[in-house]
Amino acid sequence: MRTEDDPLWYKDAVFYELHVKAYSDSNADGIGDFPGLLTKLDYLHELGVDCLWLLPMYPSPFRDDGYDIADYYSIHQNYGTMEDFRRFLEAAHARGMRVIIELVVNHTSDQHPWFQEARRSRESPLRDWYVWSDTDDRYKEARIIFLDTEKSNWAWDPVSKAYYWHRFFSHQPDLNFDNPAVREEIWKVMDYWLRMGADGFRVDAVPYLIEREGTSCENLVETHDVLRFLRRRLDENHANKVLLAEANQWPADVRPYFGEGNEFHMAFHFPIMPRIFMAVQLEDRKPIVEIMERTPPIPESCQWAIFLRNHDELTLEMVTDEERDYMYDEYAKDPKGRINLGIRRRLASLMGNVRRRVELLNSLLFSLPGTPVIYYGDEIGMGENIYLGDRNGVRTPMQWGGGWNAGFSTADPEQLYLPIISNPVYGYAAVNVESQRRSEDSLLSWMKEIIRLRRSSRVFGRGSLEFLNPENHRVLAYIRRWEDETVLVVTNLSRSAQAVELDLRPFRGAIPIEMFGRNAFPRIGERPYPLTLAPYHFFWFQLRRL
Ligand code: GLC
Ligand code: CA
């Protein structure tokens, strides 16, 4: 079913997010690198993922884990040489996998030569590449994102004696996208990596490119102009590439980032994520149904990206104050687990290490509309270390085996970029790839199975979504349809067994085939269709007309 040259490949794909530094260390310096990652491509291929999303691998002072870029045309020496990167790309492509990289251009590092030049003097030719002011009271209506560390979006530059604008850390000055030279330069950066073979970009922090007085400085029409410019250049010069937007906004505000199919191919669906966690905790389908019903349709060529966890905190920006309190109470009782407006924990531990709940969340990830994005380590149920500061607790080394440094590196353990998780529950002796490979019943084996099922049909990536409305609100049920295929997903969100009756009259005569076991269930008739579900259990049925 894989079609290599399909420009819509991203609609059927399974994405996997990883940090090169966290994956595999080939030269024993304690930091993962491209030659190391190359040796793990077979693992990723076997897992069944189609596209790797690499976190920033550029030269950087690492004050925001590489999201503070000091050179857009090179890779950090810790990760290897350009040649290593090329070799990795080729090897991924040889296995039919694609690779997208980070485009972090709302801001640069303050160590970037552009900023160093811009701050040198007010007359510098690069001065206008950044956003300066003599006072710190402009754009007052823009919120502060990194609430735990920043007091203002303006920072004082003692060198040129002026304030510069930054939406994130104060060491990340925002580029000035009103300046056409900046746009041209960013296109040059994109073109450079695309020519090298990158398959696209996850574009960081897109709502904040342009500032205007009297606005929130988010989602401005001028920002969309910039994005359409970059997309136009992309389409004129390359085929089958993808742009994925990080716009942490409500669905109605994300919708414009797809444009008329002329901005982003994909955008993350941020609000669905916390609502999946809320629904299992509340044992109620309402949060999921409501947000999906509030999600506007998107152009045919576009796609949502959905995820359960990523390299950041589990963000609670797109929920109400009450919902946020609820999430904190239920999922971050220890205040150490909180950061900014979110929770810095991993999937398995958020689910209390209950395997059935982890499976349930993955079932939703792989069956709701959109392209699923797996966060590295969650496929084996890794835990986090909330004592590591910032969001580092969810960025620890991948746990490959039960031996020295979890098989991640042969360096001295003290030398690793971050300590490996080592507690008896989530530590590498208990949770690792090698031992899960040996068991058909492991989470890893189960993940391979669900990924295989997901990839067996286009209905999941392309199909429509219709909710059923059974009386039992602890059960979530929906139909996915694409061409002549129909899938029914029924999920028990609760910790106890549930019975449900579904109105399946539109499908009368069809036979539900349970997809994991390929068993036929009773034929659908006129009467309500009864099902019983064990705690946290779910069914994926293909509705087959015979
Ligand atoms: C994005 C990244 C986050 C980073 C921020 C600033 O939100 O996901 O990790 O800190 O941008 O670049
Ligand atoms: Ca290394």
Side-chain angles (χ1 to χ4, degrees), residues 24-34 78-79 409:
S24 180
D25 173 19
S26 72
N27 62 347
D29 64 355
I31 305 167
D33 42 53
F34 280 108
N78 286 351
Y79 304 147
S409 168

mmCIF file of all heavy atoms in Angstrom, residues 24-34 78-79 409, ligand 2:
data_model
loop_
_atom_site.group_PDB
_atom_site.id
_atom_site.type_symbol
_atom_site.label_atom_id
_atom_site.label_comp_id
_atom_site.label_asym_id
_atom_site.label_seq_id
_atom_site.Cartn_x
_atom_site.Cartn_y
_atom_site.Cartn_z
ATOM 1 N N SER A 24 21.629 7.055 20.538
ATOM 2 C CA SER A 24 22.703 6.070 20.624
ATOM 3 C C SER A 24 24.047 6.758 20.416
ATOM 4 O O SER A 24 24.224 7.514 19.463
ATOM 5 C CB SER A 24 22.480 4.988 19.563
ATOM 6 O OG SER A 24 23.510 4.030 19.639
ATOM 7 N N ASP A 25 24.985 6.479 21.304
ATOM 8 C CA ASP A 25 26.295 7.138 21.305
ATOM 9 C C ASP A 25 27.337 6.206 20.695
ATOM 10 O O ASP A 25 27.622 5.151 21.247
ATOM 11 C CB ASP A 25 26.642 7.495 22.760
ATOM 12 C CG ASP A 25 28.049 8.024 22.907
ATOM 13 O OD1 ASP A 25 28.641 8.457 21.897
ATOM 14 O OD2 ASP A 25 28.559 8.006 24.043
ATOM 15 N N SER A 26 27.922 6.590 19.567
ATOM 16 C CA SER A 26 28.846 5.685 18.870
ATOM 17 C C SER A 26 30.301 5.876 19.283
ATOM 18 O O SER A 26 31.131 5.007 19.063
ATOM 19 C CB SER A 26 28.746 5.890 17.355
ATOM 20 O OG SER A 26 29.342 7.132 16.982
ATOM 21 N N ASN A 27 30.637 7.047 19.863
ATOM 22 C CA ASN A 27 32.057 7.298 20.135
ATOM 23 C C ASN A 27 32.356 7.499 21.617
ATOM 24 O O ASN A 27 33.351 8.112 21.987
ATOM 25 C CB ASN A 27 32.546 8.497 19.310
ATOM 26 C CG ASN A 27 31.808 9.771 19.692
ATOM 27 O OD1 ASN A 27 30.781 9.712 20.377
ATOM 28 N ND2 ASN A 27 32.322 10.906 19.278
ATOM 29 N N ALA A 28 31.470 7.004 22.454
ATOM 30 C CA ALA A 28 31.720 6.949 23.899
ATOM 31 C C ALA A 28 32.025 8.302 24.523
ATOM 32 O O ALA A 28 32.816 8.392 25.449
ATOM 33 C CB ALA A 28 32.848 5.951 24.194
ATOM 34 N N ASP A 29 31.377 9.365 24.025
ATOM 35 C CA ASP A 29 31.555 10.650 24.710
ATOM 36 C C ASP A 29 30.328 11.001 25.559
ATOM 37 O O ASP A 29 30.226 12.099 26.109
ATOM 38 C CB ASP A 29 31.871 11.779 23.718
ATOM 39 C CG ASP A 29 30.719 12.042 22.750
ATOM 40 O OD1 ASP A 29 29.721 11.287 22.785
ATOM 41 O OD2 ASP A 29 30.815 12.998 21.961
ATOM 42 N N GLY A 30 29.389 10.069 25.617
ATOM 43 C CA GLY A 30 28.234 10.283 26.494
ATOM 44 C C GLY A 30 27.071 10.983 25.818
ATOM 45 O O GLY A 30 26.050 11.258 26.446
ATOM 46 N N ILE A 31 27.228 11.278 24.520
ATOM 47 C CA ILE A 31 26.189 12.008 23.782
ATOM 48 C C ILE A 31 25.841 11.218 22.525
ATOM 49 O O ILE A 31 26.737 10.834 21.755
ATOM 50 C CB ILE A 31 26.709 13.405 23.378
ATOM 51 C CG1 ILE A 31 27.211 14.155 24.612
ATOM 52 C CG2 ILE A 31 25.630 14.197 22.651
ATOM 53 C CD1 ILE A 31 28.023 15.396 24.282
ATOM 54 N N GLY A 32 24.577 10.996 22.293
ATOM 55 C CA GLY A 32 24.151 10.296 21.083
ATOM 56 C C GLY A 32 24.553 11.071 19.840
ATOM 57 O O GLY A 32 24.734 12.285 19.879
ATOM 58 N N ASP A 33 24.711 10.368 18.716
ATOM 59 C CA ASP A 33 25.208 11.018 17.500
ATOM 60 C C ASP A 33 24.640 10.318 16.260
ATOM 61 O O ASP A 33 23.982 9.291 16.373
ATOM 62 C CB ASP A 33 26.743 10.993 17.487
ATOM 63 C CG ASP A 33 27.268 9.642 17.948
ATOM 64 O OD1 ASP A 33 26.840 8.616 17.378
ATOM 65 O OD2 ASP A 33 28.079 9.597 18.912
ATOM 66 N N PHE A 34 24.915 10.896 15.093
ATOM 67 C CA PHE A 34 24.344 10.338 13.859
ATOM 68 C C PHE A 34 24.858 8.934 13.533
ATOM 69 O O PHE A 34 24.063 8.079 13.145
ATOM 70 C CB PHE A 34 24.531 11.302 12.687
ATOM 71 C CG PHE A 34 23.493 12.387 12.713
ATOM 72 C CD1 PHE A 34 23.826 13.687 13.060
ATOM 73 C CD2 PHE A 34 22.160 12.096 12.439
ATOM 74 C CE1 PHE A 34 22.857 14.681 13.122
ATOM 75 C CE2 PHE A 34 21.182 13.079 12.495
ATOM 76 C CZ PHE A 34 21.531 14.379 12.837
ATOM 77 N N ASN A 78 28.976 17.654 18.338
ATOM 78 C CA ASN A 78 28.673 16.515 19.218
ATOM 79 C C ASN A 78 28.001 15.382 18.455
ATOM 80 O O ASN A 78 28.094 14.229 18.852
ATOM 81 C CB ASN A 78 27.684 16.922 20.326
ATOM 82 C CG ASN A 78 28.325 17.772 21.399
ATOM 83 O OD1 ASN A 78 29.536 17.924 21.425
ATOM 84 N ND2 ASN A 78 27.499 18.336 22.271
ATOM 85 N N TYR A 79 27.255 15.751 17.404
ATOM 86 C CA TYR A 79 26.437 14.741 16.719
ATOM 87 C C TYR A 79 27.143 14.134 15.511
ATOM 88 O O TYR A 79 26.599 13.252 14.866
ATOM 89 C CB TYR A 79 25.101 15.358 16.278
ATOM 90 C CG TYR A 79 24.316 15.978 17.422
ATOM 91 C CD1 TYR A 79 23.520 17.100 17.218
ATOM 92 C CD2 TYR A 79 24.390 15.446 18.699
ATOM 93 C CE1 TYR A 79 22.806 17.672 18.270
ATOM 94 C CE2 TYR A 79 23.692 16.009 19.754
ATOM 95 C CZ TYR A 79 22.899 17.128 19.537
ATOM 96 O OH TYR A 79 22.201 17.683 20.568
ATOM 97 N N SER A 409 25.433 3.901 25.592
ATOM 98 C CA SER A 409 26.781 4.455 25.448
ATOM 99 C C SER A 409 27.748 3.614 26.266
ATOM 100 O O SER A 409 27.375 3.066 27.306
ATOM 101 C CB SER A 409 26.780 5.901 25.978
ATOM 102 O OG SER A 409 28.095 6.382 26.120
HETATM 103 CA CA CA B 2 28.788 10.561 20.805
#
